[in-house]
Amino acid sequence: MEISHIKLLPLLLFFLLNSVCSTTSNPISESFVPCFSSLIHSNSTSKIILTESTSDYSLVLQSSIQNLRFLNTSTPKPHAIITPSQYSHVQAAVVCAKKDGIQIRTRSGGHDYEGLSYVSKAPFVIIDLFNLRSVDVDIENESAWVESGATLGELYYTIAQKSKIHGFPAGSCPTMGVGGHISGGGFGTIFRKYGLAADNVIDAKIVDVNGRILDRKSMGEELFWAIRGGGGSSFAVILKWKLRLVPVPPSVTVFKISQTIEQGATKLFSKWQNIADKLHEDIFLHSVVSVGNKAGANGGKTIIIEFGSLFLGPVEKLLPLMQDNFPELRLDRSNCTEMSWIESVLYFADISINESEALLRRTQQSKSFFKAKSDYVTEPISEAGLEGLWQTLIEVEAYLILTPYGGKMSEISDSETPFPHRIGNIFGIQYMVTWDDGKETEKHIGMMRRLYDYMAPYVSKSPRGAYLNYRDLDLGRNNVCNTSYGQASIWGLKYFKNNFRRLVHVKTLVDPGNFFMDEQSIPLFPSRKK
Ligand SMILES: Cc1cc2nc3c(=O)[nH]c(=O)nc-3n(C[C@H](O)[C@H](O)[C@H](O)COP(=O)(O)OP(=O)(O)OC[C@H]3O[C@@H](n4cnc5c(N)ncnc54)[C@H](O)[C@@H]3O)c2cc1C
Ligand SMILES: *[C@@H]1O[C@H](CO)[C@@H](O)[C@H](O)[C@H]1NC(C)=O
Ligand SMILES: *[C@@H]1O[C@H](CO)[C@@H](O)[C@H](O)[C@H]1NC(C)=O
Ligand SMILES: *[C@@H]1O[C@H](CO)[C@@H](O)[C@H](O)[C@H]1NC(C)=O
Ligand SMILES: *[C@@H]1O[C@H](CO)[C@@H](O)[C@H](O)[C@H]1NC(C)=O
Ligand SMILES: *[C@@H]1O[C@H](CO)[C@@H](O)[C@H](O)[C@H]1NC(C)=O
Ligand SMILES: *[C@@H]1O[C@H](CO)[C@@H](O)[C@H](O)[C@H]1NC(C)=O
């Protein structure tokens, strides 16, 4: 089914229009528009290039911004937003931007944690791919071509329309774009069985730095390797992916069980650390650690740990597995619900399971200011370490999502794709802090850094690993540029470990002029650096 004609939904943030759009940026460069218009051979250029004088400019700019930190009057605005409806429009944008010496930022779903898909300090244009979002599912061949501007929700929905026994292993938030998500790795509730989204890409179409459309064969295996986890924005504009669909059973089982530390959650958590990555690959059992109010009249804060699970099978098979491996959780049949795989997608997205159409909503229901960071844990954290963590979480008002690794993730070699965090990791941590008042930004970012400092002894070291899709511009922030790559070697090694050098090599080969560039794009070999 094609879903490319679904219109952008009305925007909740409409009221912000006036306050946000008063910033003036320089007028678009004299030569970009004529260059672009002459290349696209269309009289309707005005629908494809939005400038500040066009009425849709602000609406489109804001449409997919997830982090309110990058939606204010001092946020730099693009000279223009290109909204391609054909691949030739992307080609023209790349050719003309390069000719003009202006940066591009490519945006698919706009979920970048640091806003890099739509903010730049240098003069820039945005290529926003929301009109390129067809999903073509081929059940017979168990594959799908999906355009970059499609959301995960659109992808999952379209697969489920065609088959109840196929799925795709990608992330939980349905509004993410497949362009950014898959090029940065992409994990979700079935990745312990099937690996990352990027592990299940079998072909791709891209526009390269010279404006050519290439597929896997014509781009070559090195570039095809780099875009599956190395981040698309360093290498090309990805137009679409060909994905391998994976089998899912007609019925899966989910549960969520919460405990406070007063009820013994610390002991449960300690046990979880010892089994989460060793469980059968059909079980995904993550934990979410948050701050809540203590029961009783005296008040005060406590820690609540929620264990949430997806099992690829019926409840009868899950119960004995949990009884053998994690009896302390005291999982009961009454805690579990059987449902279809697509319903489990809704369940993990906190959407009512009868509302599958909600997967087609492209904008988040609510948005806030946020700052996140990530870590990998290779040894269980001691109980003393946990007690200190709980205390710190209460002080800094943050929460954690802990994702178990193991299973298929341990079978794929560290160098198979640029994503290096495979065998040896028990779980990954996402630290998250959100707030609603822009005046509190500095305070919360400071507290997040404090939490990250607290965790240093308990997480992976040399390098302290991080996940590219949880982009963090703090990484390398305090580093004196003592290496040939400067700061890049700090975040580059954290995100990619030993794959960083190979990414630099590919980058130097395919984009020697460093056109595809942002604050954390892969650098060139020093000798070639511009
Ligand atoms: C609410 C929320 C939930 C999340 N949940 C998960 C999760 O469950 N699992 C997980 O793995 N991650 C998760 N993430 C992180 C997510 O994977 C990344 O933010 C991802 O980069 C989002 O992709 P996007 O297309 O929406 O973002 P964008 O902001 O559009 O892009 C992100 C980056 O990719 C580049 N890019 C985007 N499209 C293209 C393209 N077509 N060609 C080349 N480069 C491109 C951008 O320039 C930018 O550098 C979550 C993020 C949020 C905000
Ligand atoms: C574009 O406009 C020109 C002049 O107004 C006209 O001659 C031409 O036919 C138009 N082309 C298309 C594709 O509409
Ligand atoms: C406003 O945006 C700028 C740039 O995007 C950002 O650095 C700043 O923190 C934002 N201000 C607030 C209050 O969030
Ligand atoms: C399905 O796959 C087979 C074998 O790989 C191939 O021959 C065939 O052309 C494919 N069909 C479609 C519709 O792509
Ligand atoms: C799980 O089931 C048990 C037994 O029915 C019940 O006591 C407990 O409250 C349930 N837990 C949750 C989180 O529903
Ligand atoms: C889904 O169920 C809820 C109650 O469980 C109900 O309020 C809602 O209207 C239902 N939605 C649809 C689309 O059926
Ligand atoms: C660079 O300097 C930082 C901070 O001084 C240090 O931690 C790091 O090990 C140095 N890196 C190299 C490669 O020398």
Side-chain angles (χ1 to χ4, degrees):
M1 187 184 104
E2 290 261 331
I3 52 171
S4 60
H5 47 267
I6 291 161
K7 293 276 175 293
L8 267 179
L9 292 166
L11 296 162
L12 297 166
L13 288 166
F14 198 78
F15 69 95
L16 279 171
L17 269 178
N18 292 328
S19 62
V20 170
C21 302
S22 53
T23 322
T24 46
S25 61
N26 306 324
I28 182 157
S29 119
E30 293 295 311
S31 57
F32 185 87
V33 174
C35 173
F36 187 77
S37 306
S38 73
L39 284 178
I40 69 171
H41 307 296
S42 165
N43 288 1
S44 56
T45 314
S46 65
K47 289 208 183 78
I48 300 161
I49 298 192
L50 309 176
T51 59
E52 277 187 295
S53 57
T54 5
S55 57
D56 282 350
Y57 173 90
S58 296
L59 202 65
V60 169
L61 179 62
Q62 291 168 34
S63 60
S64 67
I65 291 180
Q66 295 299 320
N67 193 340
L68 296 185
R69 275 169 62 208
F70 308 107
L71 181 57
N72 67 48
T73 45
S74 47
T75 309
K77 302 290 186 294
H79 284 192
I81 305 169
I82 316 293
T83 62
S85 54
Q86 293 173 19
Y87 299 160
S88 59
H89 303 162
V90 179
Q91 295 177 279
V94 167
V95 167
C96 296
K98 196 175 150 202
K99 202 163 137 199
D100 218 30
I102 188 169
Q103 268 194 25
I104 60 161
R105 293 298 166 105
T106 306
R107 184 163 77 171
S108 292
H111 285 54
D112 194 276
Y113 281 13
E114 301 277 12
L116 297 195
S117 56
Y118 53 90
V119 181
S120 168
K121 292 195 185 88
F124 71 112
V125 296
I126 294 176
I127 300 178
D128 193 319
L129 295 167
F130 67 89
N131 279 324
L132 291 175
R133 61 170 185 278
S134 68
V135 181
D136 286 313
V137 172
D138 180 349
I139 290 299
E140 195 190 330
N141 274 14
E142 303 192 296
S143 66
W145 273 108
V146 52
E147 288 182 330
S148 291
T151 62
L152 288 181
E154 290 169 338
L155 171 63
Y156 296 149
Y157 180 91
T158 310
I159 295 171
Q161 290 283 302
K162 291 252 175 146
S163 164
K164 302 296 167 218
I165 54 165
H166 288 87
F168 186 71
S172 314
C173 169
T175 52
M176 282 186 273
V178 304
H181 180 68
I182 298 181
S183 69
F187 69 80
T189 53
I190 55 176
F191 89 127
R192 298 190 66 248
K193 187 171 178 90
Y194 295 116
L196 303 173
D199 296 330
N200 291 281
V201 172
I202 46 190
D203 202 342
K205 281 221 164 67
I206 66 168
V207 171
D208 81 348
V209 67
N210 298 313
R212 292 175 303 180
I213 294 182
L214 304 176
D215 64 4
R216 177 174 185 167
K217 194 153 174 250
S218 50
M219 81 178 82
E221 287 301 308
E222 280 301 288
L223 182 51
F224 184 64
W225 174 82
I227 59 173
R228 287 173 296 148
S233 65
S234 297
F235 299 101
V237 177
I238 290 140
L239 298 171
K240 56 177 176 174
W241 305 105
K242 187 178 187 183
L243 307 176
R244 182 192 303 119
L245 303 183
V246 301
V248 292
S251 184
V252 305
T253 305
V254 300
F255 69 81
K256 283 179 189 163
I257 287 185
S258 301
Q259 273 205 359
T260 63
I261 40 178
E262 288 75 27
Q263 293 167 324
T266 305
K267 282 263 177 306
L268 275 189
F269 187 87
S270 291
K271 178 66 190 273
W272 176 84
Q273 295 187 96
N274 286 290
I275 52 108
D277 64 313
K278 300 180 192 76
L279 289 171
H280 190 279
E281 62 183 18
D282 284 346
I283 307 180
F284 172 82
L285 176 60
H286 78 164
S287 62
V288 179
V289 180
S290 58
V291 179
N293 293 320
K294 258 186 192 152
N298 290 341
K301 296 287 179 193
T302 186
I303 291 289
I304 302 168
I305 305 184
E306 178 187 88
F307 296 94
S309 180
L310 172 75
F311 174 63
L312 289 166
V315 66
E316 287 76 39
K317 278 177 79 178
L318 172 63
L319 290 173
L321 282 170
M322 293 301 291
Q323 185 54 39
D324 289 350
N325 294 287
F326 200 2
E328 299 84 350
L329 195 59
R330 293 204 296 271
L331 183 69
D332 185 81
R333 176 180 298 267
S334 67
N335 303 136
C336 301
T337 312
E338 287 186 354
M339 54 180 64
S340 65
W341 171 76
I342 194 69
E343 287 172 331
S344 80
V345 168
L346 291 155
Y347 178 83
F348 275 91
D350 284 325
I351 302 171
S352 164
I353 62 167
N354 60 353
E355 294 188 353
S356 64
E357 305 287 322
L359 293 174
L360 304 177
R361 280 200 303 250
R362 291 184 61 93
T363 48
Q364 292 268 83
Q365 293 294 77
S366 67
K367 301 186 185 192
S368 58
F369 297 80
F370 70 86
K371 174 67 195 166
K373 289 178 172 293
S374 60
D375 258 321
Y376 285 91
V377 173
T378 56
E379 301 285 341
I381 302 169
S382 65
E383 281 202 20
L386 292 176
E387 299 294 351
L389 173 57
W390 306 157
Q391 192 50 47
T392 310
L393 284 177
I394 289 173
E395 287 163 17
V396 306
E397 301 162 36
Y399 68 94
L400 312 177
I401 302 174
L402 305 108
T403 303
Y405 277 59
K408 177 80 175 177
M409 287 300 285
S410 295
E411 290 163 20
I412 299 173
S413 93
D414 289 2
S415 59
E416 182 73 24
T417 72
F419 180 98
H421 312 292
R422 307 276 186 174
I423 197 167
N425 291 294
I426 304 176
F427 56 94
I429 303 180
Q430 170 166 219
Y431 309 90
M432 177 63 80
V433 60
T434 66
W435 61 99
D436 294 319
D437 178 355
K439 292 195 231 27
E440 294 184 351
T441 295
E442 289 314 310
K443 179 182 94 178
H444 289 286
I445 290 180
M447 294 201 295
M448 175 54 78
R449 288 176 184 155
R450 204 181 118 206
L451 172 61
Y452 189 70
D453 288 345
Y454 171 81
M455 286 300 284
Y458 306 108
V459 298
S460 66
K461 295 174 189 64
S462 316
R464 181 174 181 178
Y467 175 34
L468 175 66
N469 267 346
Y470 294 158
R471 191 190 304 286
D472 180 3
L473 291 184
D474 285 352
L475 303 176
R477 183 172 53 108
N478 292 326
N479 179 55
V480 201
C481 294
N482 55 353
T483 70
S484 33
Y485 304 115
Q487 291 192 342
S489 64
I490 304 296
W491 54 256
L493 292 172
K494 287 175 179 297
Y495 290 146
F496 307 115
K497 294 192 190 174
N498 293 332
N499 296 326
F500 179 56
R501 282 193 70 83
R502 184 166 166 197
L503 287 169
V504 171
H505 184 75
V506 179
K507 170 74 179 179
T508 308
L509 275 177
V510 303
D511 182 19
N514 205 10
F515 171 68
F516 291 110
M517 188 170 87
D518 60 36
E519 288 81 348
Q520 285 190 341
S521 57
I522 302 295
L524 300 174
F525 270 133
S527 58
R528 305 283 295 272
K529 205 168 188 171
K530 268 202 168 171

